[in-house]
C-alpha cells in the first residue's frame, strides 16, 4: 500500500483567521517571530500499485472535492514508507 498526501492551504492573498488566531496565541505564549497559516492534510491510501493514472485521479479528486481552488491551493505528493 502506498500513501499519497494532499496538503491544502489558503492562497496567500486569502485571509486566514484561524492561522492569525494561532499566531497571536503563540506570541502571547512568548514565541516571537512565528507566523502560522492553517490548512488541511488528507492522507489517501492506495491499494496496489500507484500508477501515473491513479495519481492523476487523486489530483483530479483534490481539485474537485478536497480543495476549493478559488481560495485554496493544493499539493499532491507520495509519502515514502
Amino acid at each position: 500500500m502506498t500513501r499519497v498526501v494532499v496538503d491544502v492551504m489558503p492562497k496567500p492573498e486569502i485571509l486566514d483567521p484561524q492561522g492569525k488566531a494561532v499566531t497571536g496565541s503563540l506570541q502571547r505564549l512568548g514565541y516571537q517571530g512565528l507566523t502560522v497559516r492553517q490548512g488541511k492534510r488528507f492522507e489517501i491510501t492506495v491499494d496496489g500499485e500507484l500508477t501515473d493514472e491513479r495519481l492523476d485521479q487523486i489530483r483530479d479528486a483534490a481539485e474537485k472535492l478536497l480543495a476549493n481552488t478559488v481560495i485554496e491551493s493544493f499539493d499532491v505528493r507520495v509519502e515514502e514508507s
Side-chain angles (χ1 to χ4, degrees):
M1 289 188 288
T2 304
R3 180 179 298 162
V4 178
V5 176
V6 179
D7 290 312
V8 179
M9 293 295 295
K11 290 183 178 179
E13 63 272 14
I14 300 298
L15 295 176
D16 178 13
Q18 292 172 311
K20 188 173 183 178
V22 173
T23 298
S25 295
L26 287 171
Q27 290 175 356
R28 286 189 294 282
L29 290 172
Y31 299 101
Q32 301 302 316
L34 303 176
T35 302
V36 175
R37 294 208 34 100
Q38 183 171 323
K40 302 177 275 190
R41 173 185 165 111
F42 297 91
E43 294 181 358
I44 302 168
T45 302
V46 178
D47 293 331
E49 183 182 353
L50 180 62
T51 62
D52 288 340
E53 181 181 329
R54 181 62 65 92
L55 202 51
D56 286 343
Q57 289 174 341
I58 293 170
R59 284 188 187 98
D60 189 53
E63 185 172 0
K64 290 180 179 175
L65 178 66
L66 304 180
N68 177 349
T69 56
V70 173
I71 61 170
E72 296 173 319
S73 60
F74 67 91
D75 178 57
V76 177
R77 70 179 190 284
V78 178
E79 193 171 81
E80 301 297 327
S81 52

